[in-house]
Structures are given as structure tokens and as C-alpha cells.
Amino acid sequence: MPNTPAIRFAETGGPEVLQITEVELAEPGPGQALIAVHASGVNFIDTYHRSGLYSVDLPFIPGSEGAGIVEAVGADVTDVAVGDHVAWVGVPGSYAGHVLAPTDALLSVPDGVSLDIAAAVPLQGMTAHYLVSDTKPLQPGDRCLIHAAAGGTGRLLVQMAKIRGAEVVATAGSPEKGELARSAGADHVVLYNEVDLVEGVEAAVGTNAIDVVFDGVGAATFDAGLHLLTPRGTMATFGNASGAVPPISPLALMAKSLFLTRPTLITHIATPEARLARWNELNRWIADGDLEVRVGHTFPLTNAAAAHTALEGRSTTGKILLLP
Ligand code: NDP
């Protein structure tokens, strides 16, 4: 089999450890498909793997999301065919020209949806989906605080919270990002680099007035989120963009009987049925014009390091894609 380009790191560290290499393609075995990658999704978790915050076996090819065209299938495969447009999440080694995937991980890309959009949706879209529908099933009138609302996950989260009828207080790191949050439907925008986070949110909605905080920023915003919650409110801390939240005592939750959860996507797409149900609902919203997926940046696969630098440097909005 010929080779395919891939990004790999042999040691953890900064973006510079991401090196372009060539890996040998394998024939798809039983239950597998070989896919020519059109675009790979860049996600914050890829930076945690690279930096060592989340440990992986080295050497490691990062990336777990993308979309592309099926190039070959294993002998027994009947659920996908050569030429199919597919997307995926949870397939390791996606920063590459080709990936070998179990076919039950593949999501069919509906007609009319481009492969760029299909690559942008699975990880951040399903994350936002489970947060608003399972972690805290939002009801009309619930008030939520969504951090980094111009980001890949954040902007989808704002739109889905609005679909469910919630009132959204969004934070963003610059006026331009604030506009992106507003255009996604945020009712209030707090520019948390310019005003104190607690003061900004309280000025918009009052004290103890947030029913749920969706916090992907982590260390920098966690304490403020607890402070802003209403009695019996929910803190959903789902990421570490500014660093991991330090350990806390359950007693910190006592004064307001708060709920604290630290959810991950993987436990919310543990079966093909769960993955498919979320994918189908996301595509319905896209088709109906209720969900706008915004690809903010594309980088050549060879320049994955620049994509990581931009993501960690807070200079991106929307989705980042790598193009082989
Ligand atoms: P984003 O596109 O949201 O980019 C991260 C954003 O976080 C930045 O643009 C920035 O927005 C904000 N931010 C605040 N402080 C910092 C900081 N110190 N360094 C870097 N960024 C900072 O990324 P993703 O959508 O990929 O991920 C967002 C979060 O969601 C991450 O924590 C990620 O791990 C988490 N996540 C968790 C999942 C789960 O299931 N648990 C699944 C998917 C994502 P601003 O300038 O506006 O502050």
C-alpha cells in the first residue's frame, strides 16, 4: 500500500512537537473502511494530548474528527460503500491524509452538506448537543452562562440553548468575538477581558441568577461561575482552555446546594445509536436553518502547529479545519 501524510508527535510539548511524516496505509480489515480525508477537525482536546495534560501512548497521531470520501472497504462491509461521503468523531489519527475507521463509527453526510461543514460538526456539535439536552436539559426560560461563546463549541452551544428556549448570557474575549456570540443569539454578552466576569454578568441579569454554567474555559472562570449560580443551580465544567480546574471540596457547593458535573463527549456517544441520534438532530437543525456552523479558519495539514498556536493563543473563532 502507498503512504499517506500524517502529523505525529514523539514527545509531548508545545506546537513545535507536531511534525509532518508519512505513514503506510493499511488495507481495511473486517468492519473497516479506508477514507481519504477531506478535512480534519482541530479541537482543544488535541492540544491536551500534545501538551501531556491528557496522557497518550507515544508516538501519537492526533485528531479524532473529520470528513472525507470512502476509498476502500473490508470484505464483509455492507453499511458503507466506496465513494460515500462520511464524517466521524472518535477515530484516532485523524490529522492525516487517510484514516482507517470502523464503519460503525462513520456518519453519513447528508446531500447538500459540504465535507467542510461535515468535518466541523461532529465533535463540537455533539458536545453542545449533549450539554443542553442531557447534562442540563434546558427548558424555556432557563438562564445559562456560556463561556468562550465565539469559539467552536461555544457558538454552537449558544444556538442550541436558544433552540431550547433558554436565555443566554455569553462571554467572549474581544468585541469582535462578542458580535459573533450575539449573532448566534446570545441575549447578553460580557466581554470578560474588559470587565470583571462576576460584575458583568450580575449587571446583565442580577445576583444568583444563573441556572446553569457551561464552562469550557476552566481554571480562569470556575469560581466566578459557582458564585453566579442560583440556589440548586448546575455547574457543568467541561474543559480546560485556560487550565484545569483545581480540586475543590464538596463543601464549596453547600451554601447554595449546587450540582457539579464534569461531563465528556465519549460517555454521551458510547453507542452507534447515541451517536447517530445526535448526528441526525444536528443535521435537521442545519437543514432547517436553525444551526449555523461557522468554519473560522483552515490550515494545511502540514501546518497543524500553526493551528494549535492560534487555538491556544485565543485568536480563533468558530471551527478550525486542517486540509490534507
Ligand atoms: P474554542 O474554539 O472554544 O477555543 C477556546 C476558547 O477558549 C478561546 O478562543 C478563548 O475564547 C477561550 N479561552 C479563555 N481563556 C483561554 C486561555 N487561557 N487559553 C486559550 N483559550 C482561552 O475551543 P473548542 O471549542 O475546541 O473547546 C472549547 C472547550 O470545550 C475546551 O476546554 C475543550 O476542552 C472543551 N470541550 C470539551 C468537551 C467535552 O465533552 N468535555 C468536548 C469538546 C470541547 P475567548 O477569547 O472568547 O475567551
Side-chain angles (χ1 to χ4, degrees):
M1 290 285 279
N3 287 347
T4 195
I7 294 291
R8 190 162 57 187
F9 57 90
E11 55 179 352
T12 56
E16 70 285 350
V17 302
L18 300 175
Q19 299 289 330
I20 186 79
T21 186
E22 293 269 319
V23 294
E24 198 179 337
L25 286 179
E27 298 273 2
Q32 290 184 322
L34 179 69
I35 302 138
V37 176
H38 171 82
S40 324
V42 176
N43 293 287
F44 229 96
I45 193 171
D46 307 334
T47 72
Y48 307 147
H49 290 146
R50 191 213 69 225
S51 71
L53 179 66
Y54 295 174
S55 79
V56 291
D57 292 334
L58 300 176
F60 188 74
I61 299 175
S64 62
E65 174 188 52
I69 300 177
V70 175
E71 213 166 81
V73 295
D76 61 340
V77 167
T78 54
D79 50 348
V80 296
V82 171
D84 282 359
H85 285 205
V86 292
W88 59 90
V89 57
V91 175
S94 292
Y95 283 15
H98 289 76
V99 295
L100 199 57
T103 59
D104 66 4
L106 297 176
L107 304 156
S108 176
V109 177
D111 289 345
V113 174
S114 72
L115 285 173
D116 278 357
I117 295 299
V121 169
L123 197 150
Q124 295 169 342
M126 292 194 203
T127 297
H129 186 275
Y130 84 71
L131 286 169
V132 302
S133 51
D134 297 276
T135 302
K136 171 73 178 175
L138 290 175
Q139 303 296 325
D142 282 347
R143 190 181 277 145
C144 56
L145 175 59
I146 296 175
H147 291 307
T153 307
R155 199 163 183 278
L156 297 173
L157 200 41
V158 170
Q159 294 177 74
M160 291 182 209
K162 293 309 298 178
I163 289 171
R164 293 188 68 102
E167 180 180 349
V168 174
V169 185
T171 61
S174 69
E176 297 72 27
K177 288 183 174 186
E179 278 313 306
L180 283 169
R182 243 182 233 296
S183 67
D187 300 284
H188 316 273
V189 173
V190 175
L191 301 180
Y192 56 179
N193 287 339
E194 296 180 9
V195 300
D196 176 76
L197 171 55
V198 168
E199 286 175 15
V201 174
E202 288 184 345
V205 294
T207 55
N208 296 333
I210 298 292
D211 296 302
V212 53
V213 181
F214 295 116
D215 188 346
V217 168
T221 48
F222 182 80
D223 289 344
L226 292 185
H227 183 87
L228 290 161
L229 281 167
T230 191
R232 305 188 60 211
T234 299
M235 163 60 78
T237 172
F238 68 96
N240 330 285
S242 68
V245 176
I248 72 156
S249 163
L251 289 178
L253 310 173
M254 188 179 80
K256 291 192 277 185
S257 301
L258 299 177
F259 295 88
L260 170 63
T261 180
R262 205 318 182 175
T264 66
L265 175 60
I266 202 77
T267 50
H268 290 83
I269 52 169
T271 62
E273 293 73 27
R275 245 188 329 264
L276 196 59
R278 296 191 197 283
W279 178 246
N280 288 341
E281 183 147 47
L282 292 168
N283 280 298
R284 264 198 306 280
W285 287 335
I286 293 170
D288 291 348
D290 294 329
L291 186 66
E292 184 209 8
V293 180
R294 194 172 165 278
V295 175
H297 313 262
T298 57
F299 291 83
L301 177 67
T302 49
N303 214 2
H308 278 211
T309 300
L311 182 60
E312 292 174 295
R314 301 176 75 166
S315 65
T316 66
T317 56
K319 185 69 192 181
I320 307 172
L321 296 178
L322 295 179
L323 305 179

